[in-house]
């Protein structure tokens, strides 16, 4: 098995029902934080971590996502003519090498584990990353880069992890920690979206994984789990129980759940405030809006 992580799977087949009616015609991964689509953040993070091959597991109705990564010669020509250098640069920064992206169709919505398994032939016998673009992580060094460094040291299967509030436990894959070493936690077992009463901890899996090919073999034989879907968590949990080579990694960074409306709004505000060209006016507006509301109450 190769040691270097150069391939990443982006499961983007989900219907995005939480953002209906918008997602009737736009894939949710194209929704923007300020001016970049969610998928662009995921791709940039992967590139920073050394990923060279990008595998998208898509479904019907996701055509706009493929178009987004196409070359845009007409647009570039117009921008060049109008001397819009900055916009041209922003556009160029999204360019992907020919052949760097592969698209696989998930033919049935059978869950995250099934989506990852659909990419098995493109992964072969190599470690690989999985990035869920709903989870946007703002960090000095990208979350996946941190995990790739950890992988170089420990090997095994590494999932991004963070503590969540008790009422959120049933929305995540939850780790059953064996040994807590601070940043790194060795994992005894995992549960997908457990009831709070059954949850082994409040340490949740966030959408970044570095996995070894054995997880794909496990997915092959897996029965449907939580939500009647084939769960990635269940395949990794089997590895943890039988091989003991699974780790949770407490990453540095601020994670936004852009799969939920409130998380998406928070991310929009945070990314807006992080921009030099928007910060002052946006924070004025927020302050004024909050004080007007408070005065009215
Ligand atoms: C998926 C995984 C879950 C993980 C979560 C992180 O769930 O199944 O284990 O904790 O992503 O965002 P989803 O949110 O897609 O239902």
């Amino acid at each position: 098995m190769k040691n270097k992580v150069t391939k990443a799977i982006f499961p983007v087949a989900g219907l995005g029902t939480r953002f209906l009616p918008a997602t009737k015609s736009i894939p949710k991964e194209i929704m923007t934080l300020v001016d970049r689509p969610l998928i662009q953040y995921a791709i940039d993070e992967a590139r920073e971590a050394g990923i060279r091959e990008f595998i998208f597991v898509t479904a019907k109705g996701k055509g706009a996502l493929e178009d987004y990564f196409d070359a845009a010669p007409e647009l570039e020509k117009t921008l060049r003519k109008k001397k819009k250098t900055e916009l041209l640069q922003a556009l160029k920064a999204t360019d992907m090498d020919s052949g760097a992206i592969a698209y696989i169709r998930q033919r049935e919505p059978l869950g995250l584990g099934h989506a990852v398994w659909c990419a098995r032939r493109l992964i072969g016998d190599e470690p690989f990353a999985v990035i869920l673009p709903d989870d946007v992580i703002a960090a000095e060094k990208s979350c996946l880069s941190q995990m790739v460094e950890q992988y170089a040291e420990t090997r095994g299967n590494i999932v991004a992890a963070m503590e969540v509030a008790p009422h959120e436990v049933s929305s995540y894959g939850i780790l059953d920690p064996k040994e807590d070493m601070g940043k790194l936690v060795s994992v005894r077992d995992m549960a997908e979206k457990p009831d709070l009463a059954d949850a082994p901890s409040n340490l949740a899996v966030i959408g970044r994984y570095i996995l070894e090919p054995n997880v794909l073999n496990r997915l092959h034989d897996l029965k449907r789990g939580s939500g009647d879907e084939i769960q990635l968590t269940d395949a990794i949990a089997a590895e943890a129980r039988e091989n003991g080579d699974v780790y949770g990694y407490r990453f540095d960074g601020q994670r936004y759940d852009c799969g939920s409306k409130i998380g998406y709004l928070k991310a929009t505000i945070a990314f807006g405030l992080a921009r030099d060209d928007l910060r002052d006016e946006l924070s004025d507006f927020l302050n004024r809006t909050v004080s007007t509301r408070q005065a009215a109450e």
Side-chain angles (χ1 to χ4, degrees), residues 8-23:
I9 301 176
F10 300 81
V12 289
L15 293 173
T17 45
R18 278 190 274 180
F19 285 95
L20 279 170
T23 44

Side-chain angles (χ1 to χ4, degrees), residues 112 132 135 171-173 192-193 205-207 209 231 233 255:
L112 177 60
L132 309 187
D135 282 328
S171 305
Y172 291 92
E192 178 67 10
K193 305 198 169 97
V205 177
I206 301 304
Y209 307 74
Q231 295 294 349
T233 297
R255 173 258 183 176

Side-chain angles (χ1 to χ4, degrees), residues 206-218:
I206 301 304
R208 302 289 183 276
Y209 307 74
I210 294 181
L211 301 173
E212 296 193 326
N214 206 26
V215 170
L216 296 173
N217 300 332
R218 302 241 178 227

Side-chain angles (χ1 to χ4, degrees), residues 106-218:
Q106 186 183 21
R107 288 157 55 101
E108 288 176 274
L110 293 179
L112 177 60
H114 179 259
V116 168
W117 176 78
C118 286
R120 67 199 178 282
R121 292 201 180 86
L122 294 179
I123 296 295
D125 191 29
E126 293 183 28
F128 59 99
V130 177
I131 298 191
L132 309 187
D134 273 4
D135 282 328
V136 174
I137 302 173
E140 221 158 272
K141 179 187 282 178
S142 83
C143 178
L144 195 66
S145 298
Q146 298 171 42
M147 291 170 70
V148 163
E149 281 177 15
Q150 184 62 54
Y151 179 76
E153 240 176 74
T154 18
R155 308 277 173 222
N157 300 281
I158 305 181
V159 301
M162 72 179 228
E163 266 80 19
V164 296
H167 72 274
E168 293 176 319
V169 152
S170 60
S171 305
Y172 291 92
I174 298 292
L175 303 181
D176 179 359
K178 188 159 60 187
E179 193 189 343
D180 196 331
M181 298 162 269
K183 273 199 103 50
L184 201 66
V185 177
S186 68
V187 173
R188 181 183 298 119
D189 202 350
M190 292 163 75
E192 178 67 10
K193 305 198 169 97
D195 289 340
L196 178 57
D198 306 324
S201 76
N202 67 338
L203 193 53
V205 177
I206 301 304
R208 302 289 183 276
Y209 307 74
I210 294 181
L211 301 173
E212 296 193 326
N214 206 26
V215 170
L216 296 173
N217 300 332
R218 302 241 178 227

